[in-house]
Amino acid sequence: MQSDREPTAFERQVYAATSQIPKGRVSTYAWIGRAIGCGSARAIGQALRRNPYAPTVPCHRVIRSDGTLGGFNGQTEGEELERKVRLLTEEGVRLVAGRLADPQQRWPLASDA
DNA sequence: ACCGAGGTATCGG
DNA sequence: CCGATACCTCGGT
C-alpha cells in the first residue's frame, strides 16, 4: 500500500461515524459526510476505501443514498460486493436485488434534519 | 493535478 | 411512472 502513515483527522471522523453505525442499520456516504462536516460523499468513500480498520469500521454498513450498496473494498461489483450484501442481510438489513429494500433501514442519525 | 465506494438531472421505455 | 445513462461537483490524497 502507498499509505502506511497514520490516518488523517478527516479519516478519523469518517471511521468514527461509520463505527457508530448500529448493527442492522445502514448509513450513506453523504449522510456521514454531513455528520462530520463534509459535502462530498466521494471523500468519504475514499477514506473508507483506505479504511485501515476494516473489521473495526463497518464500511459494509455504508451504502449510497440511492439505496444501492455502492462499493466494497474498492470494488463496485464482484464477490466483494456479494460479501457486503451477505453481511448486511445477516445483520438484519433488508436487501433486494443487492439494494436496500426499506429506506427506513438508514441510520436515523439526523432524522430531524 | 488526479482520483474517488457519490449525487443529481435528464432521457427513454 | 420507473429505469438506465450521462454529466457534474466536492473533497481528499
Side-chain angles (χ1 to χ4, degrees), chain A residues 28-47:
Chain A
T28 61
Y29 296 101
W31 212 251
I32 297 173
R34 70 176 258 131
I36 68 176
C38 229
S40 37
R42 286 143 271 211
I44 312 301
Q46 264 184 1

mmCIF file with all atom_site columns, all heavy atoms in Angstrom, chain A residues 28-47:
data_model
loop_
_atom_site.group_PDB
_atom_site.id
_atom_site.type_symbol
_atom_site.label_atom_id
_atom_site.label_alt_id
_atom_site.label_comp_id
_atom_site.label_asym_id
_atom_site.label_entity_id
_atom_site.label_seq_id
_atom_site.pdbx_PDB_ins_code
_atom_site.Cartn_x
_atom_site.Cartn_y
_atom_site.Cartn_z
_atom_site.occupancy
_atom_site.B_iso_or_equiv
_atom_site.pdbx_formal_charge
_atom_site.auth_seq_id
_atom_site.auth_comp_id
_atom_site.auth_asym_id
_atom_site.auth_atom_id
_atom_site.pdbx_PDB_model_num
ATOM 1   N N   . THR A 1 28 ? -25.354 6.385  4.838  1.00 0.00 ? 28 THR A N   1
ATOM 2   C CA  . THR A 1 28 ? -24.959 6.749  3.481  1.00 0.00 ? 28 THR A CA  1
ATOM 3   C C   . THR A 1 28 ? -23.711 7.619  3.518  1.00 0.00 ? 28 THR A C   1
ATOM 4   O O   . THR A 1 28 ? -23.406 8.243  4.521  1.00 0.00 ? 28 THR A O   1
ATOM 5   C CB  . THR A 1 28 ? -26.100 7.496  2.778  1.00 0.00 ? 28 THR A CB  1
ATOM 6   O OG1 . THR A 1 28 ? -26.401 8.686  3.477  1.00 0.00 ? 28 THR A OG1 1
ATOM 7   C CG2 . THR A 1 28 ? -27.337 6.636  2.692  1.00 0.00 ? 28 THR A CG2 1
ATOM 8   N N   . TYR A 1 29 ? -23.005 7.643  2.417  1.00 0.00 ? 29 TYR A N   1
ATOM 9   C CA  . TYR A 1 29 ? -21.774 8.430  2.323  1.00 0.00 ? 29 TYR A CA  1
ATOM 10  C C   . TYR A 1 29 ? -22.084 9.902  2.572  1.00 0.00 ? 29 TYR A C   1
ATOM 11  O O   . TYR A 1 29 ? -21.406 10.572 3.345  1.00 0.00 ? 29 TYR A O   1
ATOM 12  C CB  . TYR A 1 29 ? -21.144 8.247  0.943  1.00 0.00 ? 29 TYR A CB  1
ATOM 13  C CG  . TYR A 1 29 ? -20.715 6.819  0.703  1.00 0.00 ? 29 TYR A CG  1
ATOM 14  C CD1 . TYR A 1 29 ? -21.499 5.965  -0.065 1.00 0.00 ? 29 TYR A CD1 1
ATOM 15  C CD2 . TYR A 1 29 ? -19.548 6.332  1.264  1.00 0.00 ? 29 TYR A CD2 1
ATOM 16  C CE1 . TYR A 1 29 ? -21.109 4.656  -0.281 1.00 0.00 ? 29 TYR A CE1 1
ATOM 17  C CE2 . TYR A 1 29 ? -19.156 5.026  1.051  1.00 0.00 ? 29 TYR A CE2 1
ATOM 18  C CZ  . TYR A 1 29 ? -19.940 4.188  0.277  1.00 0.00 ? 29 TYR A CZ  1
ATOM 19  O OH  . TYR A 1 29 ? -19.568 2.893  0.066  1.00 0.00 ? 29 TYR A OH  1
ATOM 20  N N   . ALA A 1 30 ? -23.108 10.378 1.922  1.00 0.00 ? 30 ALA A N   1
ATOM 21  C CA  . ALA A 1 30 ? -23.462 11.785 2.076  1.00 0.00 ? 30 ALA A CA  1
ATOM 22  C C   . ALA A 1 30 ? -23.905 12.066 3.511  1.00 0.00 ? 30 ALA A C   1
ATOM 23  O O   . ALA A 1 30 ? -23.652 13.140 4.047  1.00 0.00 ? 30 ALA A O   1
ATOM 24  C CB  . ALA A 1 30 ? -24.586 12.125 1.104  1.00 0.00 ? 30 ALA A CB  1
ATOM 25  N N   . TRP A 1 31 ? -24.549 11.084 4.118  1.00 0.00 ? 31 TRP A N   1
ATOM 26  C CA  . TRP A 1 31 ? -25.040 11.248 5.481  1.00 0.00 ? 31 TRP A CA  1
ATOM 27  C C   . TRP A 1 31 ? -23.872 11.450 6.448  1.00 0.00 ? 31 TRP A C   1
ATOM 28  O O   . TRP A 1 31 ? -23.849 12.376 7.246  1.00 0.00 ? 31 TRP A O   1
ATOM 29  C CB  . TRP A 1 31 ? -25.861 10.007 5.865  1.00 0.00 ? 31 TRP A CB  1
ATOM 30  C CG  . TRP A 1 31 ? -26.963 10.356 6.796  1.00 0.00 ? 31 TRP A CG  1
ATOM 31  C CD1 . TRP A 1 31 ? -27.069 10.046 8.119  1.00 0.00 ? 31 TRP A CD1 1
ATOM 32  C CD2 . TRP A 1 31 ? -28.132 11.107 6.474  1.00 0.00 ? 31 TRP A CD2 1
ATOM 33  N NE1 . TRP A 1 31 ? -28.237 10.566 8.621  1.00 0.00 ? 31 TRP A NE1 1
ATOM 34  C CE2 . TRP A 1 31 ? -28.904 11.219 7.653  1.00 0.00 ? 31 TRP A CE2 1
ATOM 35  C CE3 . TRP A 1 31 ? -28.602 11.721 5.296  1.00 0.00 ? 31 TRP A CE3 1
ATOM 36  C CZ2 . TRP A 1 31 ? -30.130 11.909 7.690  1.00 0.00 ? 31 TRP A CZ2 1
ATOM 37  C CZ3 . TRP A 1 31 ? -29.809 12.392 5.341  1.00 0.00 ? 31 TRP A CZ3 1
ATOM 38  C CH2 . TRP A 1 31 ? -30.559 12.475 6.522  1.00 0.00 ? 31 TRP A CH2 1
ATOM 39  N N   . ILE A 1 32 ? -22.906 10.558 6.354  1.00 0.00 ? 32 ILE A N   1
ATOM 40  C CA  . ILE A 1 32 ? -21.721 10.664 7.190  1.00 0.00 ? 32 ILE A CA  1
ATOM 41  C C   . ILE A 1 32 ? -20.979 11.950 6.851  1.00 0.00 ? 32 ILE A C   1
ATOM 42  O O   . ILE A 1 32 ? -20.471 12.646 7.717  1.00 0.00 ? 32 ILE A O   1
ATOM 43  C CB  . ILE A 1 32 ? -20.805 9.448  6.965  1.00 0.00 ? 32 ILE A CB  1
ATOM 44  C CG1 . ILE A 1 32 ? -21.525 8.175  7.391  1.00 0.00 ? 32 ILE A CG1 1
ATOM 45  C CG2 . ILE A 1 32 ? -19.507 9.607  7.741  1.00 0.00 ? 32 ILE A CG2 1
ATOM 46  C CD1 . ILE A 1 32 ? -20.776 6.913  7.044  1.00 0.00 ? 32 ILE A CD1 1
ATOM 47  N N   . GLY A 1 33 ? -20.958 12.247 5.575  1.00 0.00 ? 33 GLY A N   1
ATOM 48  C CA  . GLY A 1 33 ? -20.266 13.456 5.126  1.00 0.00 ? 33 GLY A CA  1
ATOM 49  C C   . GLY A 1 33 ? -20.790 14.675 5.857  1.00 0.00 ? 33 GLY A C   1
ATOM 50  O O   . GLY A 1 33 ? -20.037 15.471 6.405  1.00 0.00 ? 33 GLY A O   1
ATOM 51  N N   . ARG A 1 34 ? -22.099 14.811 5.927  1.00 0.00 ? 34 ARG A N   1
ATOM 52  C CA  . ARG A 1 34 ? -22.672 15.973 6.592  1.00 0.00 ? 34 ARG A CA  1
ATOM 53  C C   . ARG A 1 34 ? -22.496 15.838 8.104  1.00 0.00 ? 34 ARG A C   1
ATOM 54  O O   . ARG A 1 34 ? -22.478 16.816 8.826  1.00 0.00 ? 34 ARG A O   1
ATOM 55  C CB  . ARG A 1 34 ? -24.142 16.109 6.231  1.00 0.00 ? 34 ARG A CB  1
ATOM 56  C CG  . ARG A 1 34 ? -24.977 15.036 6.826  1.00 0.00 ? 34 ARG A CG  1
ATOM 57  C CD  . ARG A 1 34 ? -26.465 15.263 6.524  1.00 0.00 ? 34 ARG A CD  1
ATOM 58  N NE  . ARG A 1 34 ? -27.098 15.800 7.698  1.00 0.00 ? 34 ARG A NE  1
ATOM 59  C CZ  . ARG A 1 34 ? -27.896 16.870 7.758  1.00 0.00 ? 34 ARG A CZ  1
ATOM 60  N NH1 . ARG A 1 34 ? -28.239 17.422 6.763  1.00 0.00 ? 34 ARG A NH1 1
ATOM 61  N NH2 . ARG A 1 34 ? -28.370 17.382 8.788  1.00 0.00 ? 34 ARG A NH2 1
ATOM 62  N N   . ALA A 1 35 ? -22.371 14.607 8.574  1.00 0.00 ? 35 ALA A N   1
ATOM 63  C CA  . ALA A 1 35 ? -22.210 14.378 10.010 1.00 0.00 ? 35 ALA A CA  1
ATOM 64  C C   . ALA A 1 35 ? -20.841 14.865 10.477 1.00 0.00 ? 35 ALA A C   1
ATOM 65  O O   . ALA A 1 35 ? -20.700 15.332 11.592 1.00 0.00 ? 35 ALA A O   1
ATOM 66  C CB  . ALA A 1 35 ? -22.382 12.895 10.309 1.00 0.00 ? 35 ALA A CB  1
ATOM 67  N N   . ILE A 1 36 ? -19.856 14.762 9.633  1.00 0.00 ? 36 ILE A N   1
ATOM 68  C CA  . ILE A 1 36 ? -18.507 15.208 10.001 1.00 0.00 ? 36 ILE A CA  1
ATOM 69  C C   . ILE A 1 36 ? -18.192 16.572 9.408  1.00 0.00 ? 36 ILE A C   1
ATOM 70  O O   . ILE A 1 36 ? -17.131 17.119 9.631  1.00 0.00 ? 36 ILE A O   1
ATOM 71  C CB  . ILE A 1 36 ? -17.454 14.178 9.548  1.00 0.00 ? 36 ILE A CB  1
ATOM 72  C CG1 . ILE A 1 36 ? -17.356 14.128 8.020  1.00 0.00 ? 36 ILE A CG1 1
ATOM 73  C CG2 . ILE A 1 36 ? -17.773 12.806 10.123 1.00 0.00 ? 36 ILE A CG2 1
ATOM 74  C CD1 . ILE A 1 36 ? -16.278 13.198 7.553  1.00 0.00 ? 36 ILE A CD1 1
ATOM 75  N N   . GLY A 1 37 ? -19.139 17.111 8.664  1.00 0.00 ? 37 GLY A N   1
ATOM 76  C CA  . GLY A 1 37 ? -18.926 18.449 8.127  1.00 0.00 ? 37 GLY A CA  1
ATOM 77  C C   . GLY A 1 37 ? -18.312 18.423 6.742  1.00 0.00 ? 37 GLY A C   1
ATOM 78  O O   . GLY A 1 37 ? -17.577 19.318 6.376  1.00 0.00 ? 37 GLY A O   1
ATOM 79  N N   . CYS A 1 38 ? -18.663 17.383 5.999  1.00 0.00 ? 38 CYS A N   1
ATOM 80  C CA  . CYS A 1 38 ? -18.140 17.279 4.650  1.00 0.00 ? 38 CYS A CA  1
ATOM 81  C C   . CYS A 1 38 ? -19.295 17.393 3.661  1.00 0.00 ? 38 CYS A C   1
ATOM 82  O O   . CYS A 1 38 ? -20.419 17.054 3.979  1.00 0.00 ? 38 CYS A O   1
ATOM 83  C CB  . CYS A 1 38 ? -17.427 15.931 4.467  1.00 0.00 ? 38 CYS A CB  1
ATOM 84  S SG  . CYS A 1 38 ? -15.811 16.151 3.741  1.00 0.00 ? 38 CYS A SG  1
ATOM 85  N N   . GLY A 1 39 ? -19.011 17.836 2.471  1.00 0.00 ? 39 GLY A N   1
ATOM 86  C CA  . GLY A 1 39 ? -20.068 17.997 1.485  1.00 0.00 ? 39 GLY A CA  1
ATOM 87  C C   . GLY A 1 39 ? -19.886 17.059 0.324  1.00 0.00 ? 39 GLY A C   1
ATOM 88  O O   . GLY A 1 39 ? -20.656 17.071 -0.626 1.00 0.00 ? 39 GLY A O   1
ATOM 89  N N   . SER A 1 40 ? -18.893 16.211 0.410  1.00 0.00 ? 40 SER A N   1
ATOM 90  C CA  . SER A 1 40 ? -18.664 15.289 -0.695 1.00 0.00 ? 40 SER A CA  1
ATOM 91  C C   . SER A 1 40 ? -18.617 13.866 -0.200 1.00 0.00 ? 40 SER A C   1
ATOM 92  O O   . SER A 1 40 ? -17.821 13.507 0.655  1.00 0.00 ? 40 SER A O   1
ATOM 93  C CB  . SER A 1 40 ? -17.358 15.637 -1.395 1.00 0.00 ? 40 SER A CB  1
ATOM 94  O OG  . SER A 1 40 ? -16.426 16.040 -0.458 1.00 0.00 ? 40 SER A OG  1
ATOM 95  N N   . ALA A 1 41 ? -19.478 13.051 -0.757 1.00 0.00 ? 41 ALA A N   1
ATOM 96  C CA  . ALA A 1 41 ? -19.538 11.655 -0.370 1.00 0.00 ? 41 ALA A CA  1
ATOM 97  C C   . ALA A 1 41 ? -18.329 10.909 -0.921 1.00 0.00 ? 41 ALA A C   1
ATOM 98  O O   . ALA A 1 41 ? -17.897 9.908  -0.362 1.00 0.00 ? 41 ALA A O   1
ATOM 99  C CB  . ALA A 1 41 ? -20.824 11.038 -0.904 1.00 0.00 ? 41 ALA A CB  1
ATOM 100 N N   . ARG A 1 42 ? -17.797 11.414 -2.008 1.00 0.00 ? 42 ARG A N   1
ATOM 101 C CA  . ARG A 1 42 ? -16.642 10.748 -2.621 1.00 0.00 ? 42 ARG A CA  1
ATOM 102 C C   . ARG A 1 42 ? -15.477 10.729 -1.668 1.00 0.00 ? 42 ARG A C   1
ATOM 103 O O   . ARG A 1 42 ? -14.700 9.793  -1.613 1.00 0.00 ? 42 ARG A O   1
ATOM 104 C CB  . ARG A 1 42 ? -16.245 11.431 -3.905 1.00 0.00 ? 42 ARG A CB  1
ATOM 105 C CG  . ARG A 1 42 ? -17.247 11.095 -4.954 1.00 0.00 ? 42 ARG A CG  1
ATOM 106 C CD  . ARG A 1 42 ? -17.417 12.294 -5.788 1.00 0.00 ? 42 ARG A CD  1
ATOM 107 N NE  . ARG A 1 42 ? -18.444 13.028 -5.147 1.00 0.00 ? 42 ARG A NE  1
ATOM 108 C CZ  . ARG A 1 42 ? -19.282 13.782 -5.768 1.00 0.00 ? 42 ARG A CZ  1
ATOM 109 N NH1 . ARG A 1 42 ? -19.145 13.948 -7.046 1.00 0.00 ? 42 ARG A NH1 1
ATOM 110 N NH2 . ARG A 1 42 ? -20.216 14.364 -5.166 1.00 0.00 ? 42 ARG A NH2 1
ATOM 111 N N   . ALA A 1 43 ? -15.352 11.791 -0.921 1.00 0.00 ? 43 ALA A N   1
ATOM 112 C CA  . ALA A 1 43 ? -14.254 11.864 0.049  1.00 0.00 ? 43 ALA A CA  1
ATOM 113 C C   . ALA A 1 43 ? -14.455 10.786 1.099  1.00 0.00 ? 43 ALA A C   1
ATOM 114 O O   . ALA A 1 43 ? -13.498 10.176 1.578  1.00 0.00 ? 43 ALA A O   1
ATOM 115 C CB  . ALA A 1 43 ? -14.244 13.246 0.684  1.00 0.00 ? 43 ALA A CB  1
ATOM 116 N N   . ILE A 1 44 ? -15.685 10.539 1.477  1.00 0.00 ? 44 ILE A N   1
ATOM 117 C CA  . ILE A 1 44 ? -15.986 9.511  2.466  1.00 0.00 ? 44 ILE A CA  1
ATOM 118 C C   . ILE A 1 44 ? -15.604 8.145  1.914  1.00 0.00 ? 44 ILE A C   1
ATOM 119 O O   . ILE A 1 44 ? -14.948 7.352  2.585  1.00 0.00 ? 44 ILE A O   1
ATOM 120 C CB  . ILE A 1 44 ? -17.483 9.515  2.808  1.00 0.00 ? 44 ILE A CB  1
ATOM 121 C CG1 . ILE A 1 44 ? -17.972 10.935 3.104  1.00 0.00 ? 44 ILE A CG1 1
ATOM 122 C CG2 . ILE A 1 44 ? -17.772 8.581  3.978  1.00 0.00 ? 44 ILE A CG2 1
ATOM 123 C CD1 . ILE A 1 44 ? -17.248 11.598 4.241  1.00 0.00 ? 44 ILE A CD1 1
ATOM 124 N N   . GLY A 1 45 ? -16.002 7.900  0.696  1.00 0.00 ? 45 GLY A N   1
ATOM 125 C CA  . GLY A 1 45 ? -15.677 6.624  0.066  1.00 0.00 ? 45 GLY A CA  1
ATOM 126 C C   . GLY A 1 45 ? -14.177 6.417  -0.011 1.00 0.00 ? 45 GLY A C   1
ATOM 127 O O   . GLY A 1 45 ? -13.678 5.320  0.212  1.00 0.00 ? 45 GLY A O   1
ATOM 128 N N   . GLN A 1 46 ? -13.480 7.472  -0.296 1.00 0.00 ? 46 GLN A N   1
ATOM 129 C CA  . GLN A 1 46 ? -12.019 7.362  -0.379 1.00 0.00 ? 46 GLN A CA  1
ATOM 130 C C   . GLN A 1 46 ? -11.442 6.968  0.958  1.00 0.00 ? 46 GLN A C   1
ATOM 131 O O   . GLN A 1 46 ? -10.580 6.112  1.048  1.00 0.00 ? 46 GLN A O   1
ATOM 132 C CB  . GLN A 1 46 ? -11.428 8.697  -0.821 1.00 0.00 ? 46 GLN A CB  1
ATOM 133 C CG  . GLN A 1 46 ? -11.199 8.686  -2.304 1.00 0.00 ? 46 GLN A CG  1
ATOM 134 C CD  . GLN A 1 46 ? -10.517 9.943  -2.788 1.00 0.00 ? 46 GLN A CD  1
ATOM 135 O OE1 . GLN A 1 46 ? -10.190 10.825 -2.019 1.00 0.00 ? 46 GLN A OE1 1
ATOM 136 N NE2 . GLN A 1 46 ? -10.320 10.028 -4.069 1.00 0.00 ? 46 GLN A NE2 1
ATOM 137 N N   . ALA A 1 47 ? -11.935 7.616  1.988  1.00 0.00 ? 47 ALA A N   1
ATOM 138 C CA  . ALA A 1 47 ? -11.437 7.316  3.338  1.00 0.00 ? 47 ALA A CA  1
ATOM 139 C C   . ALA A 1 47 ? -11.787 5.879  3.706  1.00 0.00 ? 47 ALA A C   1
ATOM 140 O O   . ALA A 1 47 ? -10.955 5.149  4.245  1.00 0.00 ? 47 ALA A O   1
ATOM 141 C CB  . ALA A 1 47 ? -12.054 8.290  4.326  1.00 0.00 ? 47 ALA A CB  1
#
